[in-house]
Amino acid sequence: MIQFLLNQELRSEHALDPNLTVLNYLREHLGKSGTKEGCASGDCGACTVVVGELHTDDTGAEQIRYRSLNSCLTFVSSLHGKQLISVEDLKHQGQLHSVQKAMVECHGSQCGFCTPGFVMSLFALQKNSDAPDNQKAHEALAGNLCRCTGYRPILAAAEQACCNKPQDQFDSRQAETIARLKAIAPTQTGELNSGDKRCLVPLTVADLADLYDAYPQARLLAGGTDLALEVTQFHRTLPVMIYVGNIEEMKRIDDFDDRLEIGAAAALSDCYTALHHAYPDFGELLHRFASLQIRNQGTLGGNIGNASPIGDSPPLLIALGAQIVLCKGETRRTLALEDYFIDYRVTARQDSEFIEKIIVPKGHALFRAYKVSKRLDDDISAVCAAFNLKIDNGVIGEARVAFGGMAATPKRAKNCEAALVGATWNCATVEKACAALAEDFTPLSDFRASKEYRLLSAQNLLRKYFIELQTPHIETRVTAYV
């Protein structure tokens, strides 16, 4: 059984189909049709809902952390122990919520189809903002598409909603909601079971290892932003899933003097502060990683584990010399991330083995990263590049150069690196290294970019890296797009 709050109503579910998304649960099981399906792939934001969960802040106080999510990519099992808020829950005692009023008064709704998703993103923004902030508003709304091109009044509504925000019913019920969430906090493995399909929800790494050993055919579910597409886009059935999002050990982020240790189930939005502090380029790239809704769900471990050749984080992690800790039963092994990827969607992971955490070394001052995509926000890379050199007295001592979107896996450019190591850091060396990239990669053409464009972009990004190191005042990093 799993338990969660539907606004303030306690829901206990056991026999639901584990492949059921929160979107379809709201619309088909509860008759709450305010939440819309626009794309079923997490691109448009029409299905946005907000999930609240217990969180201890830096002072040790317990609070509710509200986050916007794409309900089309969220399986119901991930609600275990949390609070689900949909657009129907905002109106209170016959009165519109302040974010709804702001949308009305600023004329932020046109055809209306996308409006519930915008309202829920604005609600989460309001809950997480102390004052109007244009940058935060753009970030919060970047995952919501308005086909009527009504962004200006919606941004005006964001400013109004976050300016002198009034107390609402969620604020007045906060203590009560915290108490109710603590009362339903999971204490043992939860389960959804429809007879022929099941999803297990363990609470510890040890329990996960035992379950995965017992069900090696199970699919591991973290954020679900990739896995859910198999259900929503390809109409496949997932007979057995194991949800790892309630394992606190795998959500930890530990900051040591020489490294970061990031649990594989840590949401990308939780990883931002530590990664941005250690490597500003990594943090900037995370701002362009899909949308805030996706970053609130998607995990660093999942972005590695799905072995996509166009995942944004693996090239950066490879360039930094990151390692992963793999767990199977009581056995753990540490593997260089670059050795994890074998071929297209093929990895070195053994049966019943899972990524427990990622180890990211610190202290690489000359690390830079770049992403080329058709849109600045909420888009997949055509090419993602990461460069990490050590240069002493003008001579390159070490070089790690990695790319995504250039091959069947994210990988290092070994010939390019060989052209760099031991050479003087100058234009001539850079041009030799650019030529060597043609030996490292034979990229494919697809709807994102042609093979010629990809290769030329990769070479130009190396040139860009050289120029930026020569003129560090130039602020052009991680902003390239087609």
Side-chain angles (χ1 to χ4, degrees), residues 27-40:
R27 292 180 62 84
E28 298 174 5
H29 288 250
L30 303 180
K32 292 179 176 287
S33 57
T35 308
K36 309 300 184 186
E37 178 179 308
C39 65

Side-chain angles (χ1 to χ4, degrees), residues 166-180:
Q167 187 179 62
D168 62 14
Q169 68 269 30
F170 301 97
D171 297 323
S172 61
R173 291 175 175 172
Q174 182 174 356
E176 175 190 351
T177 305
I178 289 174
R180 298 192 71 190

Side-chain angles (χ1 to χ4, degrees), residues 138-207:
H138 278 273
E139 180 183 25
L141 300 176
N144 294 81
L145 301 183
C146 172
R147 291 162 178 83
C148 303
T149 66
Y151 296 110
R152 186 201 56 76
I154 295 172
L155 287 169
E159 181 177 2
Q160 177 176 315
C162 295
C163 184
N164 300 318
K165 57 184 180 182
Q167 187 179 62
D168 62 14
Q169 68 269 30
F170 301 97
D171 297 323
S172 61
R173 291 175 175 172
Q174 182 174 356
E176 175 190 351
T177 305
I178 289 174
R180 298 192 71 190
L181 287 174
K182 290 174 71 172
I184 64 169
T187 58
Q188 60 185 5
T189 297
E191 181 176 1
L192 278 182
N193 191 325
S194 62
D196 58 337
K197 296 182 285 293
R198 64 191 310 198
C199 180
L200 299 157
V201 187
L203 302 180
T204 67
V205 170
D207 287 343

Side-chain angles (χ1 to χ4, degrees), residues 423-438:
T424 302
W425 182 233
N426 57 29
C427 287
T429 297
V430 170
E431 290 307 312
K432 288 180 181 177
C434 285
L437 284 174

Side-chain angles (χ1 to χ4, degrees), residues 254-272:
D254 294 314
D255 193 342
F256 299 97
D257 290 340
D258 62 339
R259 70 193 186 281
L260 296 171
E261 293 190 2
I262 301 175
L268 290 165
S269 53
D270 290 333
C271 298
Y272 171 79

Side-chain angles (χ1 to χ4, degrees), residues 370-396:
Y370 309 95
K371 174 176 176 174
V372 178
S373 58
K374 291 189 174 185
R375 292 196 307 261
L376 183 63
D377 291 309
D378 199 11
D379 202 5
I380 295 172
S381 296
V383 177
C384 187
F387 303 98
N388 183 18
L389 269 59
K390 288 187 178 180
I391 303 173
D392 295 312
N393 296 319
V395 177
I396 304 165

